[in-house]
Amino acid sequence: MDPTVLGGRLASSLVAPLLKKLFRSESPGAGLLDQPVRLAALVSFRGEKRTLDERDVQKLAGRIVAQAVDSPGEPPFPSDEQIAVADTLARRLLALGDLDMDDVQAVRLGHRELAKKLHYAALAPDGLSADSCHFLDHATEWACLNILEFFTRRSTFIARTLVEQTRSQEELIAKVDELLTRTPRPHARDASFERRYLRFVAERHNHITIYGIDLRDSPDRWPLEVAYLSLEAAGAEQGGLPEAPPGESAAASGATVRLPAEEALSSHDRVMLRGDAGSGKTTLVQWLAVTATRDTARIPFVLPLRTLIRVGALPAPCAFLTAVGCPLAPPEGWAERVLTAGRGLVLVDGLDEIPAADRHRTRDWLLALIHAFPGNHWLLTSRPTAVRPDWLAAEGFRELTLAPMRRADVTTFVHRWHAAARAPEYETQLLDALHTKRDLARLATNPLMCGLVCALHRERRGYLPTGRKELYDAALGMLLARRDRERGMGAVDGIDLGEEAQLELLQRLAYALVLSGRTEMSLETAEGIVGRCLPTIARVPEQRDAADVLHALMLRSGLLRQPAEGVVHFVHRTFQDYLGARYAVEEGHLDVIAGHAGDSLWEDVIRMAVAHARPRERAILLRRLLAEDTPRLTLLALACLEHAAALDPGVRAEVEERAGALIPPRETEEARALAEAGPLVLELLPGPEGLTDQEAHHVTVTASLLGAKEDEGALAVLRRFRDHPNLDVRRQLVGTWSRFDAREYAVEVLDHLKRGGLSVVCESAEQRATLQLMRPWERLRFDGPLTAAELLACVSEPAGVRLLHLWRNPVLGHLRDLRAFRSLTGLWLSRCTGTEGLSSLAELPLTDLVLFDRGADLTGLGTLRRLTQLSLDQDLPGDLLTDSLPADAPLRHLFLGMGSIHSTGLRGLSGWPTLRSLAVGVSSRRHLSAEDWREVAALPVLGTLRLYGRSEHYGFDAMPELPGIEDFEFPGDGDLGVLRVIASRLPGLRRLTVSEELAGTPSPDTWADIFPTVEIIRV
């Protein structure tokens, strides 16, 4: 029978009035005083106050069934089963009185579940048709639905329901509290474990270890936080770039971006980081892990692939910690919860350290994790040649490459290393060695090699191995064998090359490069060299060809790499020279080596050849160098002695004697000639101990001249002289600032100098910016256009400046703002066009003024009454010097440049009886007259007189006797008559300075005859 038809036949309007008779009338209240009201208490046919008996219920059921049968339409069941159906329905209704539940519980149960209980309480008799059974079930459900509707309309139902809900909630809360007390919440367990795990990660990875060297007195591991050095990572700029040209990759066409390596994941959540052996990849992984333990925003998982690959299948997140040997047991599902929440920092280290066959499944494993757990940060590290470029680019990985260490990085690394090793006393000496020894500097270009050099230097109490051969041997032993072995690395792709086999291949490749004069060779050429060498090498499987062996060599040796497609070169040029020299000596190619001595590119090859050679071979090479008889090769021979542990004493003595004539330089010309020998000289320059002041000065001259070619080495030499007391040495150190990095030179040299008698010159914006990093300077010179405001911004303490020299400054303008230099005693303005406002300087304690600008405004000069030194180089207005110069000033030194006295002559000069020194330039427009000479003669304390211009303009015939002049300078172009006049007019002369270029006609003997008691200086 269709249920919709049945529903129509059992309409609520018919059933409800009939069923209502089953229940007692309502009572007010919620029934809180007695036991909960049961259904048995509600039905009127149960209990002592029964109003309906079972017969009445049967009649009620019969009426319900009859109404359904009498309804229009098809009968719901066979008519002969009507009595059986009515009897069964009655028994089901009577079963309400037997149910052990209250009305609230019945409503919570629902009409269908209540009907099922009544169904099982009064089953249909056997033999009843399916239609009858179907009718009974639906009739019972409809009856139960109306019963529950009746319950919900009772006045006490709502109150009872609220009370029951409150009681249920209280019971539920109590049970939950008890459960939480007995069983910690999952997130609480996670948080507790994460605190323990982060402490474990920080302790496990907060150190740096150098593998492959034996250190007796030095630790083999240092705190990461102290020794870590931030390096740069470089990669193609992403976003906002034009499309690459056809056939060119985006990385090649885009600009290169550099950023601190530890920020690689700051703007991209997937990064593949490449780097050569020892470039700091694993150290960066450790640093990222340790720093992540501090902010706790991400949970680090450090996964070295060489460890994971040993256990077989790469681990799922639940096995991450077990796979890397973490002894902590996390709560079940913890790692997945971390990754699902996007809180993970997954650091997969060393793709190059697993066989090639495993790299593809490693990629599949990594990508499966990324797709399953989006939102986390992922870093994969590898050496450059392990997989092709853009190996993971399609999967959204950004490719970056660790850059070599720069000079500042090396300095920082050495400082931090020695701080970590608690050995600061060895730091400065090592830095000097790294800066002056070029091959050593080229070696220390990554953290691994820098660490090796630091460790060996400390191990030997501040000395690197005698002859750097020992250093290179230690480095090669570490790179080629011990480092991988001590880290648990096995063969690469089934090719297990021993240390000697690797050396044989590498030195042949190196010698080929040395002979060609290049640092790169084609991949095809390299494979050819390896192929010719393979028959002599054991332990290489027969099925492996030269390409496979070369690839394994590049991957694991750490000495070779491919900077571009199809190109091979050595990571360190110093290893190329060392290995090339080793092969040349083994093959007896001494003539080839000596024949290239004149080529500066072979300097290190020759030195390493001396290190590898036997004593007799060393003597031959050194004699060949001395035979050339050039300063550079003589000094090269001297440098080679460092590597010659055993040598003929006669050869050693000859080298030292020949070089001793060159070093140290004793004259400026010797210093210039020595500098022409090249940067090699920097390693050999002595001092400051054991040098005279003159020798120390010329050593600094040599190092300064080499600053443009080899600034690191030159700086290391000059740094040694920064505490020297000699003024000439200190002036040389100040004057060479422009050849070096402004900040570094200021910090390393300038700021340590004694300031007395020195002026520091700022020629660039970098130098001006660095000025504030140093202790205040009292004497400053600024070159170039600067406004007064910009000038003051450069100086941290203007009130401490006493001498200010401005050169080529056309924008200075009015001088009023210079009053901020309130202690200024000297102001020199050279080629500062357009300046004005000299009177505004009258408040300053100014005693020395220089105005070398023929267009300068001299208005107000007369107000500067404290001047004792005045130098001018422009035409003075008026008829007398007193018309423009400060008449009341106690001048002791006066310089009047060429053409200054066209209008005034020297009239009025006698108004400054305090003058001790006078310098005058005279041109053809105005000759000195007898009147001018009388003004000079009237100066009672004048002792120095300097004349510039041609002698014929000075009117020496009119020159009176000047007995007070002891120091006289003039061009020296006069004839014998002029010289005799000068000698007769200057009876007290002690020193005569003349221009050597113009002195041509009179011979030195003539000068000596005319001025027999005078010191003659030619300039």
Side-chain angles (χ1 to χ4, degrees):
M1 183 177 180
D2 192 326
T4 59
V5 176
L6 178 61
R9 294 177 184 276
L10 293 175
S12 296
S13 60
L14 298 176
V15 177
L18 297 175
L19 292 177
K20 192 173 183 181
K21 296 181 179 182
L22 293 174
F23 300 95
R24 296 177 179 178
S25 59
E26 299 176 1
S27 306
L32 298 177
L33 299 177
D34 300 325
Q35 295 294 324
V37 178
R38 302 292 176 180
L39 293 181
L42 292 174
V43 295
S44 56
F45 51 85
R46 301 288 291 177
E48 297 179 355
K49 298 180 179 181
R50 179 179 299 181
T51 58
L52 290 176
D53 54 19
E54 293 182 8
R55 185 174 55 186
D56 294 329
V57 174
Q58 289 175 349
K59 289 181 180 180
L60 179 61
R63 289 178 61 185
I64 293 174
V65 172
Q67 287 181 1
V69 172
D70 294 341
S71 298
E74 179 185 357
F77 51 84
S79 57
D80 58 348
E81 296 181 353
Q82 183 173 345
I83 295 174
V85 171
D87 180 62
T88 304
L89 181 58
R91 285 188 289 109
R92 291 184 177 181
L93 295 176
L94 288 169
L96 284 170
D98 298 325
L99 295 178
D100 187 18
M101 67 176 68
D102 57 27
D103 54 348
V104 175
Q105 293 170 337
V107 172
R108 189 184 302 129
L109 188 65
H111 72 284
R112 287 190 175 88
E113 292 299 321
L114 182 59
K116 287 182 181 180
K117 290 184 177 294
L118 297 179
H119 169 83
Y120 290 113
L123 297 174
D126 295 338
L128 202 63
S129 66
D131 286 345
S132 295
C133 292
H134 190 64
F135 173 82
L136 273 171
D137 290 341
H138 283 274
T140 303
E141 284 190 13
W142 278 90
C144 288
L145 184 61
N146 282 272
I147 289 169
L148 298 185
E149 175 65 18
F150 172 74
F151 287 164
T152 60
R153 292 182 180 180
R154 297 178 69 245
S155 60
T156 60
F157 176 77
I158 295 177
R160 280 295 306 164
T161 301
L162 292 175
V163 171
E164 288 298 322
Q165 287 179 346
T166 301
R167 288 174 176 172
S168 298
Q169 289 174 355
E170 290 176 351
E171 292 178 3
L172 180 61
I173 291 172
K175 291 178 181 178
V176 170
D177 287 344
E178 179 67 19
L179 181 63
L180 291 177
T181 301
R182 296 181 180 180
T183 307
R185 291 167 289 179
H187 70 272
R189 292 199 305 271
D190 287 358
S192 176
F193 173 76
E194 285 175 11
R195 286 192 293 270
R196 296 171 56 214
Y197 173 70
L198 292 177
R199 285 196 300 270
F200 170 80
V201 171
E203 292 173 1
R204 182 172 186 174
H205 296 289
N206 194 20
H207 63 269
I208 293 178
T209 301
I210 293 184
Y211 295 95
I213 58 175
D214 295 317
L215 301 175
R216 296 182 301 275
D217 301 323
S218 299
D220 62 353
R221 48 193 282 164
W222 297 269
L224 177 66
E225 292 177 321
V226 179
Y228 176 73
L229 174 69
S230 176
L231 298 177
E232 280 190 341
E237 182 70 69
Q238 295 184 340
L241 292 175
E243 294 184 1
E248 186 177 348
S249 67
S253 62
T256 298
V257 61
R258 290 179 174 266
L259 72 162
E262 61 270 20
E263 297 179 11
L265 290 168
S266 61
S267 60
H268 208 284
D269 59 3
R270 303 178 191 179
V271 171
M272 182 169 184
L273 184 70
R274 298 179 188 258
D276 295 314
S279 60
K281 302 184 296 298
T282 299
T283 303
L284 175 63
V285 166
Q286 293 177 243
W287 180 256
L288 292 175
V290 171
T291 53
T293 64
R294 297 171 184 162
D295 56 34
T296 68
R298 294 193 175 272
I299 304 299
F301 297 95
V302 180
L303 305 176
L305 283 172
R306 66 177 180 272
T307 301
L308 301 185
I309 211 71
R310 294 196 200 109
V311 300
L314 292 166
C318 61
F320 277 178
L321 303 193
T322 304
V324 297
C326 176
L328 303 179
E332 184 177 356
W334 168 76
E336 288 193 5
R337 287 193 292 275
V338 169
L339 296 177
T340 300
R343 298 173 55 224
L345 173 62
V346 185
L347 306 167
V348 184
D349 186 30
L351 182 66
D352 57 285
E353 297 177 351
I354 61 176
D358 292 320
R359 292 172 197 153
H360 292 286
R361 72 180 179 99
T362 299
R363 180 173 61 178
D364 295 340
W365 165 76
L366 182 59
L367 294 181
L369 288 174
I370 291 172
H371 296 153
F373 302 103
N376 297 283
H377 283 182
W378 310 83
L379 176 73
L380 176 65
T381 72
S382 175
R383 292 190 187 179
T385 56
V387 290
R388 70 175 188 276
D390 300 329
W391 192 61
L392 285 172
E395 304 298 336
F397 273 78
R398 182 183 188 184
E399 287 220 1
L400 296 173
T401 301
L402 282 176
M405 293 170 65
R406 296 174 298 183
R407 180 175 63 189
D409 297 328
V410 172
T411 301
T412 302
F413 182 96
V414 171
H415 173 70
R416 293 182 180 176
W417 190 97
H418 284 83
R422 298 178 181 177
E425 65 273 19
Y426 301 118
E427 177 184 333
T428 301
Q429 186 178 357
L430 177 59
L431 284 174
D432 286 345
L434 285 169
H435 292 155
T436 55
K437 300 180 186 298
R438 291 172 299 149
D439 52 349
L440 188 62
R442 288 200 296 266
L443 181 66
T445 56
N446 64 47
L448 176 67
M449 300 309 298
C450 259
L452 170 68
V453 171
C454 290
L456 291 175
H457 183 259
R458 183 186 187 277
E459 186 72 7
R460 288 157 175 80
R461 298 293 190 272
Y463 294 94
L464 287 171
T466 303
R468 268 158 278 163
K469 180 178 181 298
E470 185 180 347
L471 175 63
Y472 297 146
D473 287 342
L476 289 170
M478 177 181 65
L479 290 172
L480 301 183
R482 294 190 57 180
R483 185 165 178 260
D484 281 353
R485 183 170 63 247
E486 293 175 15
R487 291 191 304 161
M489 290 290 300
V492 178
D493 299 336
I495 301 176
D496 186 11
L497 295 173
E499 182 176 354
E500 287 301 321
Q502 293 182 74
L503 280 173
E504 183 65 27
L505 294 172
L506 289 168
Q507 67 183 19
R508 293 195 183 198
L509 293 168
Y511 190 54
L513 286 170
V514 169
L515 285 177
S516 67
R518 299 176 181 177
T519 57
E520 293 182 347
M521 67 171 59
S522 69
L523 184 62
E524 181 181 1
T525 301
E527 289 175 354
I529 294 172
V530 172
R532 290 189 292 274
C533 188
L534 280 184
T536 65
I537 297 178
R539 303 174 66 179
V540 177
E542 293 182 0
Q543 66 272 23
R544 297 308 183 102
D545 59 13
D548 294 333
V549 174
L550 179 62
H551 181 71
L553 190 65
M554 285 193 292
L555 196 59
R556 297 307 330 149
S557 72
L559 294 179
L560 290 176
R561 69 176 176 183
Q562 283 185 265
E565 188 68 27
V567 177
V568 177
H569 76 174
F570 278 82
V571 173
H572 302 288
R573 170 68 184 273
T574 185
F575 282 125
Q576 174 184 312
D577 295 340
Y578 176 83
L579 291 168
R582 185 177 190 261
Y583 186 77
V585 171
E586 286 181 358
E587 296 298 311
H589 295 174
L590 298 183
D591 288 340
V592 175
I593 296 174
H596 287 84
D599 188 345
S600 61
L601 295 177
W602 279 68
E603 281 183 3
D604 289 333
V605 177
I606 293 172
R607 296 168 73 176
M608 291 301 98
V610 170
H612 287 294
R614 292 178 288 273
R616 182 180 58 82
E617 295 168 331
R618 289 171 181 160
I620 293 173
L621 282 173
L622 293 175
R623 286 195 178 100
R624 288 284 300 270
L625 296 178
L626 295 177
E628 298 294 329
D629 197 23
T630 66
R632 191 183 73 81
L633 294 186
T634 299
L635 295 175
L636 178 58
L638 179 63
C640 288
L641 294 183
E642 174 190 1
H643 308 282
L647 180 65
D648 183 331
V651 174
R652 185 184 298 275
E654 184 180 358
V655 171
E656 292 175 345
E657 181 182 357
R658 295 271 294 274
L662 301 174
I663 294 179
R666 297 162 184 83
E667 300 291 343
T668 300
E669 289 306 315
E670 290 182 11
R672 295 182 183 277
L674 191 58
E676 292 177 359
L680 169 70
V681 172
L682 294 170
E683 300 182 32
L684 307 174
L685 289 175
E689 297 81 7
L691 299 180
T692 66
D693 288 347
Q694 184 182 18
E695 290 171 341
H697 174 228
H698 291 106
V699 166
T700 59
V701 170
T702 302
S704 298
L705 292 172
L706 287 167
K709 298 179 180 179
E710 192 73 24
D711 58 341
E712 290 186 32
L715 178 60
V717 173
L718 295 176
R719 186 193 297 114
R720 302 201 303 260
F721 290 82
R722 65 191 184 187
D723 296 322
H724 204 284
N726 181 261
L727 181 59
D728 288 337
V729 172
R730 291 185 289 121
R731 281 177 176 169
Q732 181 63 39
L733 295 179
V734 170
T736 194
W737 188 13
S738 60
R739 291 188 170 99
F740 300 88
D741 175 81
R743 180 187 179 92
E744 185 176 17
Y745 193 84
V747 171
E748 295 291 334
V749 178
L750 291 184
D751 202 28
H752 297 265
L753 296 176
K754 294 179 181 178
R755 302 294 201 251
L758 296 182
S759 295
V760 67
V761 181
C762 296
E763 301 174 300
S764 65
E766 292 78 9
Q767 290 176 334
R768 292 192 293 270
T770 305
L771 191 62
Q772 295 195 10
L773 301 178
M774 296 186 283
R775 293 180 292 115
W777 286 82
E778 291 186 352
R779 300 163 63 94
L780 293 170
R781 170 177 158 180
F782 293 93
D783 291 4
L786 285 174
T787 64
E790 292 171 334
L791 187 65
L792 289 168
C794 300
V795 184
S796 58
E797 298 183 18
V801 177
R802 297 187 178 277
L803 172 64
L804 183 63
H805 184 183
L806 305 181
W807 174 265
R808 297 179 184 270
N809 188 343
V811 301
L812 182 61
H814 205 283
L815 301 177
R816 67 173 70 90
D817 290 335
L818 297 186
R819 290 177 295 184
F821 298 97
R822 57 177 181 268
S823 300
L824 200 65
T825 58
L827 177 62
W828 299 356
L829 303 178
S830 304
R831 301 188 183 181
C832 298
T833 56
T835 56
E836 58 181 349
L838 284 172
S839 60
S840 63
L841 304 180
E843 302 173 5
L844 298 178
L846 202 61
T847 59
D848 183 5
L849 178 65
V850 175
L851 292 176
F852 279 3
D853 180 13
R854 297 186 179 181
D857 182 6
L858 298 181
T859 303
L861 178 60
T863 64
L864 305 181
R865 296 183 175 87
R866 296 186 179 91
L867 292 180
T868 59
Q869 301 183 71
L870 178 61
S871 301
L872 302 172
D873 187 26
Q874 57 260 57
D875 195 358
L876 299 178
D879 296 327
L880 302 173
L881 292 177
T882 51
D883 292 341
S884 53
L885 305 189
D888 299 333
L891 291 180
R892 293 198 296 270
H893 307 280
L894 178 63
F895 177 94
L896 300 174
M898 192 72 66
S900 297
I901 58 173
H902 289 162
S903 301
T904 62
L906 294 180
R907 292 188 297 274
L909 182 65
S910 58
W912 291 279
T914 54
L915 277 178
R916 297 177 180 275
S917 172
L918 174 65
V920 179
V922 179
S923 69
S924 58
R925 292 176 54 189
R926 176 65 183 252
H927 296 190
L928 291 185
S929 64
E931 182 182 6
D932 296 324
W933 279 115
R934 284 195 295 272
E935 293 284 342
V936 175
L939 299 173
V941 293
L942 187 67
T944 300
L945 178 62
R946 292 183 172 87
L947 303 178
Y948 303 101
R950 298 191 64 82
S951 299
E952 61 191 48
H953 302 152
Y954 284 96
F956 284 119
D957 291 341
M959 180 180 182
E961 185 174 290
L962 303 172
I965 302 298
E966 297 180 350
D967 190 344
F968 181 63
E969 178 178 346
F970 85 116
D973 60 340
D975 55 23
L976 294 178
V978 170
L979 297 182
R980 290 190 177 94
V981 169
I982 294 175
S984 64
R985 302 296 195 272
L986 303 176
L989 188 63
R990 295 184 178 182
R991 183 169 62 179
L992 174 64
T993 304
V994 296
S995 172
E996 192 171 41
E997 293 181 358
L998 298 178
T1001 303
S1003 65
D1005 291 338
T1006 302
W1007 287 97
D1009 291 340
I1010 297 176
F1011 301 95
T1013 61
V1014 176
E1015 177 187 3
I1016 299 175
I1017 301 175
R1018 294 179 172 84
V1019 296

